[in-house]
Structure formats: structure tokens, C-alpha cells
Amino acid sequence: MVIKDWTKVTPALSPPVLNCINKQGFKTMTPIQAAVIPLILTCKDVVAEAVTGSGKTLAFVVPLLEMLMKKAKDSPLRKDYIYAVIISPTRELATQIVKVIELFLAEPELKHLTISLLVGGRPIEMDAESMMKGAQITVCTPGRFQDLLEERKHLNLSARLKDLEFLVLDEADRLLDLGFSATLTTILQYLPRQRRTGLFSATQTKELQDLVRAGLRNPVLISVKEKSTISTPIALENFYIIVEPQDKLLVLLNFIRNRKVTKGLFFLPTCACVDYWADVLPGFLPEMKIYAIHGKMKQKRNKILEKFRAAENTILLCTDLLARGLDIPSVEWVLQWEPPTSPAALVHRAGRSARGGCAGASLLPLLPTEDSYVPFIKSNQKVELKDYKSSNDVIKITDKLKDKVLSILHDQQVKDRAIFDKGQRAFVSHIRAYSKHECNLLLQLKELPLGHIATSYGLIKLPLMPEIKDEHKKQFVGPKEAIDFNSIPYKDKQKEQSRLQKLEEYKKTGTWPSKKKKKMSQSKPWEQTKLNKLEKQDKRKKRKELKKKLNEEGKKGKKRKTVTQEELDELAADVALIKKLKKRKITAEQFDQAFDTDK
């Protein structure tokens, strides 16, 4: 039986750490904390897998602080050295970890420890300066940490890592999903081998196992699941609802109003989708505060997150940037526009609710052609999706409501060209993202009724896309009255003035300024582009193999002809002529005559 009392951990936790744990109200240990903390304290490397929201952060923060306090008793810690490094996939998660550690460092006995946050979005000199002030505990994103390791002008970071005690890779599977495998390999080469390492994730993958072999020595594998049949917290309910593609927005709007959602996360496929709906939704939900976050925002993200945490009656529109590890209290509902590109991301999205044992729920709308996703996700990710129609909540969609919502969407775009442009980009990026689904046998682009989906976006015209066929044009429901698209203005006066100038030039020349005219034949469906890319890769591979074969045959065959002295002298004379021409010692005519170029 695993001990869940903080006071009975072996080796025993120090009073400062226990005091802070009591102040924060963590009465008992979660299963992952109970399993991992004693192992790290007894100098074991660990690989820990646990469902999202299970308390992994405390599982490495508590032993980290205990290890540093023990080391400080043996010999004083140097202010310019780094003793613990925590690597996180996103700046939001890194910032969250820093805030948790700062709660402990507020204790008088722990105030001597220094902490530094290293993330992108600011000059590297600022981070170097921050490190010089003290960074015994360093929380960072992998890209910025690698930059600082390789940058020697302002800071010799590798020299400060000689006494590193503890390395933590948080959300390690996400680190690899984001393409940080090579970066992590580089970082590990700079770190001393005599250290403890903790690798924490919600899922195990083959890539993760490769990283374990590279960075850990005889690790103890810990897998903690609350129930053998599911991979999400017990207190989390996951629902799906089958909707017609043109009604998806109406269903989600009615759902938010019927359930009176006070705090929710709304996951959208792309950054462009977030930008569009952030402009559009406030017109339908005036009583709610709508915030938006995606990966292309840099400095704004932390400020927006803080506003969202503090607000009530609010919804945060986001991409999968926020799907991992982020702890936002009191999120009631996780809403999704469509299934995520990766099946595993569904677990992480839903896990933003029901944190720390609280109740929560998620809702996934599916099109009639996507109903097979329900049994697939149950077998693939151990997530059981319940049919929302079996609940008492009835969502009614009337023709009158459809017309009203479409009218508002169309009106918003006609009044501001910026919203019209964002709608076009959002739809195109959404379809492109859909074509890249990992489970594309179930979620096939060719089965999507693109006209109906464009209607759900409230577009006033269909974008020019090779994927859109005549059948899609028939499905599309646009404005009832004809619109002169050239007359749609920008609300921003400066942008509108620039557009009008370009429009005048277009009328005169027939070519839109600053844009090259593309041939229609160059426009190809994304699926075809992907196939073409694979074909090119295959051809390139075959050429390399053929070249290698010819080289091997050449080595086995005749030896290369020996260059004669006469040929060398002739080459030297030609080089001398070229040098004279460059230095303008001879004219071009003299060079041609001497070089005998006409022959």
C-alpha cells in the first residue's frame, strides 16, 4: 500500500516544505506523488506516466527542494551555479511551474534559493543578465536553453552546470511532439552525467523511450492510472454530439447559453480560426468575456492568461498550445470545434477541466461522417465519449435562428473587411489542418461538405480553393443580397486608404499591387501536394542509391587518368589571365583574344 500522508514520506520531508504544503491545502498525496517522491529522494532516476491533472508538478518540485536543502547543509550553494533545471514545452507551462516553486521559496528557510525563468520572446542578453543575478533553479523552454548554452559572448552557461543535481523534463511527450528531440539531445550533451533525472508525461511513445535510453541511467518506470479503462481523470465526463456541419456554431452557442457556462476553454484548429472567432463571438455572447490565445502571440499570452484566470463568465479561445499541463482552476467545460489532429491531444484538451479532483466535462461536436471516431478513441486512447443527446439538455435549432445568426455574421463581414479577410483565412486554414489528421482513414477530407462548413463560418463568399467543387458551391448559403466585394471597407482608416489606392491601380493595370499573379495550374489540393512531395523524396532516394552504386563501380574499375604537367601549366596560365582581367591589367578584348573564347 502506498503512503499518502505527507508527514510519513521516507526519507522524511523537511519542516519548511511541509509548512508550505499545508498552507496550500494539499492534505494528502496523489498516487503519482506518493510513488515518485520517495524514489527521487533516494537518488533514483524516474520515468513517470500519469493522467493529466494528477499532480505531477509537486511530484518533482518537492524532491527538488529537498535535494537542494540537503546539499546546502553539506556545503553552501554558489550563487552563480545552477543546481536544478526544469525543461517545459511552452512558456505558459514554464511560468506556471515558476509560480508553484515561488510559493515554497516564500518560506524563510528557503528564501536563499534563487530561481530564473528562461523563455523566448525577449533578447537573449536579458536572460543572460537574469542568470548572473542567480538561477540555482532554472525553469526554461528547450529552445531558449539551447541558445544560452551555445551563446558564449555574454554567459558561459555550461560552466555553471558542473554541479547540477536534478534535471526534469516536464510533459516530455509534448516536447518531442513539438520537434525538440534534436534540441534535447544537444542539451543533454552539456549536462553532467552524475545527476538525477525525472521524466514526466501523460503518455508513453516510442520516441520517449529513445529519449529515456539517451538521458537516464537505469530509471524506475512509474505508471499511475486512476482506472484501468480510462486515461482521463475519474471526475471528468467526456461527451460528444452529432451535428450537421452548417449547424455547428448554433449548437455550441446554444450549449453555452443553456448550460450557463461560467468558465470554459474553446479549442479551435488553427491560429487563424482563433483570430476570426475572437472577433465574431462577442456579438453573440455579449454577457461573456471572450479572450483568445494562440502560438503566434508572444508577449501578450501571459497577460491574457492572468485575465482569464481572474475573470468570471468567460471563455478562452485557444489552439492546442494550451492543451498540455496548464492548470487553470475552475474550468467547467472544455469545448472543441472538431477532433484534434492527434488522437492523444483529445486526452490533454479534456484534462484542462476536472483538475485536482474537481468535477469537469468536455464536449466534442462530430459530423455525421465522423461518428466512427467515438469507438476509435475508446480503443486508441481509452477515452469513453458519452452521447450528449442522452442527457436532459435539449438543443433546438430553428430556421429562424439560423437566418438570424447568418445575418449577423454576414453583416459583421460587410461592415469590416478585416473580419471578412479573417473569415476567409480561418476557413482555408481549418480545411488544411483537417487534411493533416493522423487518423485520416476516419476523418477524410474528401467526405467533408465544404459548402456547409463555409456556411457555419458565416462566410459571404467561398474562397478560391482547388478542393471546392461544384457540389460544394450548391451547398453554400451566402448573403441573400448581392455584394460588391470591392466596396467592403476596412474599419481601420489607414488600411482602408491603402486598399483604395491599390484598388485604383488594379483597375488601371489589371494586376493587384505587390502580389504576383499565380497561374491556376499551380494551385493543387493539399493531399495531392503531399503525394507529390513523397514522390520527390522517393526519387531523390533512388538517385542517391544509383549515384552510390556508380561510385562503387567506378572505384572497382579503371583508375582515373593522371593529369599531365602540360595540362597543369595550361590551367595555371588561364587562372593568371582571369586574375589580370579582375585587376583590370588587361581589357576584356585582350582577355578574349588570349583566352581564345571564340574557338
Side-chain angles (χ1 to χ4, degrees):
M1 182 178 176
V2 179
I3 297 171
K4 292 192 176 183
D5 189 339
W6 289 99
T7 59
K8 295 181 180 179
V9 176
T10 305
L13 300 180
S14 59
V17 173
L18 286 173
N19 288 340
C20 189
I21 289 170
N22 292 330
K23 285 178 185 177
Q24 300 306 315
F26 301 112
K27 295 180 181 178
T28 59
M29 303 173 77
T30 64
I32 188 68
Q33 293 162 358
V36 167
I37 291 174
L39 289 171
I40 298 176
L41 290 176
T42 51
C43 298
K44 303 284 186 183
D45 285 358
V46 298
V47 177
E49 176 191 7
V51 297
T52 185
S54 57
K56 292 192 288 289
T57 304
L58 276 188
F60 60 76
V61 168
V62 168
L64 180 154
L65 294 170
E66 290 290 343
M67 290 167 72
L68 295 190
M69 289 179 69
K70 183 181 177 183
K71 187 173 181 67
K73 285 181 182 178
D74 298 336
S75 60
L77 301 181
R78 289 185 53 168
K79 287 185 178 181
D80 58 337
Y81 271 33
I82 298 170
Y83 295 95
V85 173
I86 301 169
I87 300 178
S88 169
T90 66
R91 66 184 68 185
E92 287 75 23
L93 188 51
T95 304
Q96 181 178 287
I97 293 168
V98 167
K99 288 180 179 178
V100 172
I101 295 174
E102 284 175 342
L103 293 173
F104 286 88
L105 300 190
E107 293 294 316
E109 296 90 337
L110 296 170
K111 277 187 176 180
H112 65 281
L113 295 175
T114 58
I115 186 168
S116 182
L117 173 65
L118 307 177
V119 295
R122 62 178 184 174
I124 201 166
E125 294 81 10
M126 290 181 67
D127 283 335
E129 188 178 339
S130 170
M131 298 286 286
M132 290 175 183
K133 291 177 182 177
Q136 293 164 335
I137 303 170
T138 296
V139 184
C140 58
T141 49
R144 177 45 58 102
F145 196 60
Q146 182 186 10
D147 291 342
L148 283 163
L149 282 167
E150 294 175 346
E151 196 272 341
R152 299 294 183 93
K153 185 178 178 182
H154 300 91
L155 180 74
N156 185 5
L157 184 57
S158 57
R160 296 167 181 259
L161 291 164
K162 291 190 292 186
D163 285 350
L164 184 74
E165 285 286 318
F166 194 26
L167 169 68
V168 176
L169 300 177
D170 190 26
E171 299 290 350
D173 49 342
R174 179 63 172 160
L175 285 167
L176 298 177
D177 288 344
L178 291 173
F180 286 122
S181 179
T183 302
L184 291 174
T185 302
T186 303
I187 290 171
L188 289 173
Q189 292 171 358
Y190 283 93
L191 305 182
R193 293 191 177 185
Q194 295 297 324
R195 64 168 195 270
R196 296 281 64 78
T197 303
L199 189 148
F200 295 80
S201 71
T203 54
Q204 292 287 332
T205 63
K206 180 185 178 297
E207 292 79 7
L208 202 62
Q209 291 167 3
D210 294 339
L211 182 62
V212 168
R213 285 193 288 270
L216 286 78
R217 296 184 306 167
N218 300 320
V220 179
L221 302 177
I222 304 293
S223 183
V224 177
K225 295 183 180 179
E226 297 184 19
K227 205 175 183 180
S228 60
T229 56
I230 61 171
S231 59
T232 54
I234 292 173
L236 176 65
E237 287 187 285
N238 296 298
F239 296 98
Y240 76 94
I241 185 169
I242 302 295
V243 300
E244 294 299 324
Q246 65 271 30
D247 297 337
K248 189 179 284 188
L249 174 63
L250 297 167
V251 168
L252 288 168
L253 284 174
N254 275 8
F255 174 82
I256 292 168
R257 287 169 180 158
N258 291 358
R259 295 305 301 246
K260 296 180 180 178
V261 176
T262 58
K263 184 165 282 194
L265 285 177
F266 190 172
F267 283 95
L268 292 156
T270 68
C271 300
C273 291
V274 171
D275 285 337
Y276 174 61
W277 291 115
D279 280 351
V280 166
L281 284 182
F284 297 100
L285 300 167
E287 71 283 358
M288 300 194 77
K289 293 177 183 176
I290 308 293
Y291 296 104
I293 280 184
H294 57 67
K296 292 182 180 177
M297 296 177 180
K298 299 297 179 185
Q299 303 299 335
K300 294 180 182 179
R301 287 178 358 204
N302 284 336
K303 291 180 181 178
I304 293 169
L305 264 180
E306 290 307 313
K307 288 179 181 178
F308 175 69
R309 287 178 195 272
E312 293 181 1
N313 293 327
T314 180
I315 287 181
L316 177 63
L317 310 181
C318 57
T319 58
D320 280 334
L321 173 79
L322 297 190
R324 300 294 293 265
L326 205 65
D327 187 18
I328 302 174
S330 65
V331 170
E332 295 178 305
W333 280 92
V334 170
L335 307 176
Q336 304 169 74
W337 184 258
E338 68 173 13
T341 305
S342 163
L346 184 75
V347 176
H348 303 298
R349 283 182 176 184
R352 296 316 95 213
S353 184
R355 307 287 294 178
C358 298
S362 72
L363 178 67
L364 175 65
L366 294 173
L367 306 184
T369 57
E370 299 171 337
D371 58 349
S372 54
Y373 188 79
V374 176
F376 163 77
I377 208 70
K378 184 177 181 180
S379 61
N380 185 270
Q381 293 294 319
K382 304 294 186 290
V383 176
E384 186 172 353
L385 298 175
K386 303 174 186 175
D387 189 349
Y388 190 75
K389 288 184 178 178
S390 62
S391 67
N392 297 326
D393 190 9
V394 179
I395 299 174
K396 293 182 179 179
I397 305 296
T398 63
D399 290 337
K400 186 178 179 180
L401 181 61
K402 287 182 186 180
D403 292 340
K404 184 180 178 181
V405 169
L406 277 180
S407 177
I408 293 172
L409 288 169
H410 294 162
D411 190 49
Q412 285 179 321
Q413 293 177 66
V414 170
K415 286 181 178 178
D416 188 0
R417 193 176 193 88
I419 296 178
F420 166 69
D421 291 342
K422 287 179 180 180
Q424 298 283 305
R425 285 195 292 269
F427 175 76
V428 172
S429 67
H430 170 197
I431 303 307
R432 187 170 192 177
Y434 199 93
S435 71
K436 296 178 180 178
H437 267 290
E438 287 183 12
C439 43
N440 52 19
L441 290 175
L442 300 177
L443 308 174
Q444 296 186 19
L445 180 62
K446 63 182 180 181
E447 290 187 4
L448 282 186
L450 300 184
H452 289 318
I453 293 172
T455 302
S456 72
Y457 272 78
L459 301 186
I460 55 178
K461 67 172 286 193
L462 283 170
L464 293 173
M465 296 169 61
E467 282 73 22
I468 291 178
K469 312 299 181 188
D470 289 337
E471 61 185 281
H472 302 138
K473 293 175 183 177
K474 292 175 183 176
Q475 297 165 353
F476 179 62
V477 178
K480 293 179 180 178
E481 297 178 0
I483 294 174
D484 178 8
F485 296 106
N486 286 333
S487 67
I488 300 174
Y490 284 108
K491 273 190 177 179
D492 186 307
K493 292 180 180 178
Q494 191 174 351
K495 287 185 76 174
E496 178 58 13
Q497 187 180 355
S498 174
R499 185 188 76 85
L500 290 173
Q501 289 174 355
K502 291 178 180 179
L503 185 60
E504 282 298 316
E505 192 173 336
Y506 171 72
K507 288 177 179 177
K508 291 176 183 176
T509 62
T511 304
W512 193 264
S514 77
K515 285 191 177 180
K516 294 180 180 179
K517 195 174 181 180
K518 293 183 180 179
K519 295 180 181 178
M520 291 301 292
S521 59
Q522 291 177 342
S523 182
K524 296 178 182 178
W526 289 295
E527 288 182 334
Q528 185 60 42
T529 305
K530 189 176 180 181
L531 289 172
N532 292 345
K533 186 178 178 181
L534 291 172
E535 285 178 11
K536 284 182 181 178
Q537 288 175 348
D538 190 46
K539 286 180 181 178
R540 200 178 294 120
K541 187 179 178 181
K542 286 180 179 177
R543 280 200 300 269
K544 283 184 179 179
E545 289 174 354
L546 181 61
K547 189 176 179 181
K548 186 178 179 182
K549 187 178 179 182
L550 290 172
N551 286 338
E552 288 174 355
E553 288 176 358
K555 288 177 183 177
K556 292 177 183 177
K558 294 180 180 179
K559 291 184 179 180
R560 187 182 172 185
K561 184 182 175 182
T562 307
V563 180
T564 64
Q565 185 61 43
E566 186 181 351
E567 289 172 330
L568 289 171
D569 293 340
E570 189 177 341
L571 179 62
D574 290 343
V575 171
L577 275 173
I578 292 169
K579 285 182 177 179
K580 284 181 180 180
L581 179 65
K582 283 185 177 180
K583 293 178 180 179
R584 297 183 180 178
K585 289 183 178 180
I586 59 173
T587 64
E589 291 178 1
Q590 290 173 328
F591 174 78
D592 291 341
Q593 189 177 0
F595 205 73
D596 201 14
T597 55
D598 294 332
K599 287 184 180 181

